Amino acid sequence: MANSSSITEFLLLAFADTRELQLLHFALFLGIYLAALLGNGLILTAVACHHRLHTPMYFFLLNLALLDLGCISTTLPKAMANALWDTRAISYQGCAAQVFLFAFLVGAEYSLLTIMSYDRYVAICKPLHYGSLVGSGACAQMAAAAWGSGFLNAVLHTAATFSLPLCQGNAVDQFFCEIPHILKLSCSDAYLREVGALVFSVSLVFGCFLYIVLSYVQIFRAVLRMPCEQGRHKAFSTCLPHMAVVSLFVSTAMVAYLKPPSISSPSLDLVFAFLYSVVPPAVNPLIYSMRNQELRNALRKLLSYIFLKHQ
């Protein structure tokens, strides 16, 4: 029986058994990772360089792109390295760092998505008060609150998880150090502390989700009362990408964490974890650029500048 004091490394779940499939997975993940780096990097550069995008909505989008970059960089590079070098090992310290960073970035991202729904609510339902309610100082404070809440979430879960005695070996049935799978390694009478922390976090997540839903109920009521079709179209074009990102983020995470144990299996857990940890950071830039004309124009100018510079 192993305990946490004797464990120096964990063994992650391998994506494939044969060398050919491992290399195929490496190539696939490398493509996804590079796409995420490119998409989020372009959004960061476009928002930073174009003065027309120096507004609260794009300030929060810049923060979202930073969090997406951090989130996918926490999990995917180690999985790619393991696939490339045909290993499953991750050090104890590396696993703790993964848990901390992932909890930090995901917690901050969800808080930020909640703040972005507030920004859209004020912009559409209280436009005359927008400058006073969502000024530059308020934006900085809200962004700091989102990052701070993610940090506190990470400290809480990392401390609770790695203070548990681990009695069930060191094999984590996931491609990164995910808290529920580490809990399966703990002694049966010791994991309730972290389960309590998870329940607390789920309650906060549900409260934020309820706030987002209620905000969009008010937003759509206000939009449908607009007499101008152009105004309705512009309002929808700024709200629908955010709704799509929230839906993708929440639905994949809920399926991963709340699915019935009866349908749980290592391969299914792997798919769901991939969906909520890798897919959103990779597709969020595409979602935001599809319907946002201002962002598309800024990206087009940026790409034209980069292309001409290298001629």
Side-chain angles (χ1 to χ4, degrees), residues 84-131:
L84 182 62
W85 302 114
D86 190 19
T87 180
R88 297 172 54 197
I90 182 171
S91 68
Y92 187 92
Q93 294 79 8
C95 187
Q98 262 198 349
V99 168
F100 177 83
L101 289 172
F102 192 72
F104 168 45
L105 295 163
V106 169
E109 180 160 340
Y110 193 67
S111 298
L112 186 69
L113 289 172
T114 306
I115 291 169
M116 291 172 77
S117 71
Y118 170 75
D119 170 66
R120 292 299 84 207
Y121 166 76
V122 176
I124 293 173
C125 299
K126 299 180 182 295
L128 298 179
H129 302 283
Y130 187 75

Side-chain angles (χ1 to χ4, degrees), residues 3-311:
N3 58 51
S4 54
S5 61
S6 64
I7 291 177
T8 59
E9 67 177 20
F10 292 93
L11 298 178
L12 300 176
L13 187 65
F15 278 101
D17 297 327
T18 65
R19 189 65 186 142
E20 292 78 10
L21 285 177
Q22 287 175 343
L23 294 175
L24 179 62
H25 281 104
F26 168 78
L28 175 64
F29 299 151
L30 180 62
I32 294 172
Y33 186 57
L34 292 177
L37 292 181
L38 177 63
N40 287 290
L42 284 173
I43 285 182
L44 287 172
T45 308
V47 173
C49 295
H50 288 78
H51 293 289
R52 291 192 62 184
L53 301 186
H54 291 180
T55 64
M57 182 176 74
Y58 294 107
F59 170 74
F60 294 132
L61 182 57
L62 181 144
N63 278 266
L64 182 67
L66 280 173
L67 289 168
D68 280 338
L69 281 176
C71 190
I72 199 169
S73 297
T74 298
T75 59
L76 212 51
K78 180 59 179 174
M80 288 190 296
N82 283 1
L84 182 62
W85 302 114
D86 190 19
T87 180
R88 297 172 54 197
I90 182 171
S91 68
Y92 187 92
Q93 294 79 8
C95 187
Q98 262 198 349
V99 168
F100 177 83
L101 289 172
F102 192 72
F104 168 45
L105 295 163
V106 169
E109 180 160 340
Y110 193 67
S111 298
L112 186 69
L113 289 172
T114 306
I115 291 169
M116 291 172 77
S117 71
Y118 170 75
D119 170 66
R120 292 299 84 207
Y121 166 76
V122 176
I124 293 173
C125 299
K126 299 180 182 295
L128 298 179
H129 302 283
Y130 187 75
S132 58
L133 294 176
V134 195
S136 57
C139 286
Q141 291 173 5
M142 287 188 284
W147 288 82
S149 66
F151 179 80
L152 293 176
N153 178 65
V155 170
L156 171 68
H157 288 296
T158 307
T161 301
F162 287 93
S163 65
L164 300 176
L166 306 179
C167 310
Q168 309 295 328
N170 67 338
V172 179
D173 291 333
Q174 192 53 270
F175 75 95
F176 67 99
C177 287
E178 191 182 36
I179 290 175
H181 288 277
I182 297 175
L183 292 182
K184 293 179 181 179
L185 307 179
S186 65
C187 303
S188 58
D189 59 347
Y191 73 97
L192 290 177
R193 281 179 295 172
E194 172 58 15
V195 170
L198 283 173
V199 169
F200 175 73
S201 292
V202 168
S203 300
L204 288 179
V205 166
F206 179 76
C208 290
F209 181 69
L210 188 62
Y211 177 83
I212 292 172
V213 170
L214 293 176
S215 296
Y216 272 100
V217 169
Q218 296 298 318
I219 287 170
F220 285 132
R221 288 177 60 186
V223 170
L224 292 174
R225 288 198 298 265
M226 289 181 179
C228 175
E229 184 177 349
Q230 185 177 2
R232 289 197 299 269
H233 176 77
K234 184 177 180 180
F236 278 125
S237 68
T238 60
C239 292
L240 290 179
H242 180 253
M243 285 187 62
V245 168
V246 170
S247 300
L248 178 64
F249 184 80
V250 173
S251 61
T252 53
M254 285 180 64
V255 169
Y257 281 91
L258 302 180
K259 64 183 181 300
S262 59
I263 66 169
S264 182
S265 69
S267 58
L268 204 57
D269 290 347
L270 194 65
V271 170
F272 287 139
F274 185 82
L275 286 176
Y276 87 85
S277 64
V278 174
V279 172
V283 303
N284 282 353
L286 182 63
I287 292 173
Y288 269 104
S289 60
M290 279 176 61
R291 291 186 60 89
N292 191 310
Q293 188 64 45
E294 282 186 329
L295 184 58
R296 285 206 306 272
N297 290 339
L299 289 172
R300 193 178 297 116
K301 290 178 182 178
L302 177 63
L303 290 172
S304 299
Y305 173 77
I306 293 173
F307 179 76
L308 292 173
K309 189 175 180 180
H310 288 84
Q311 287 295 310

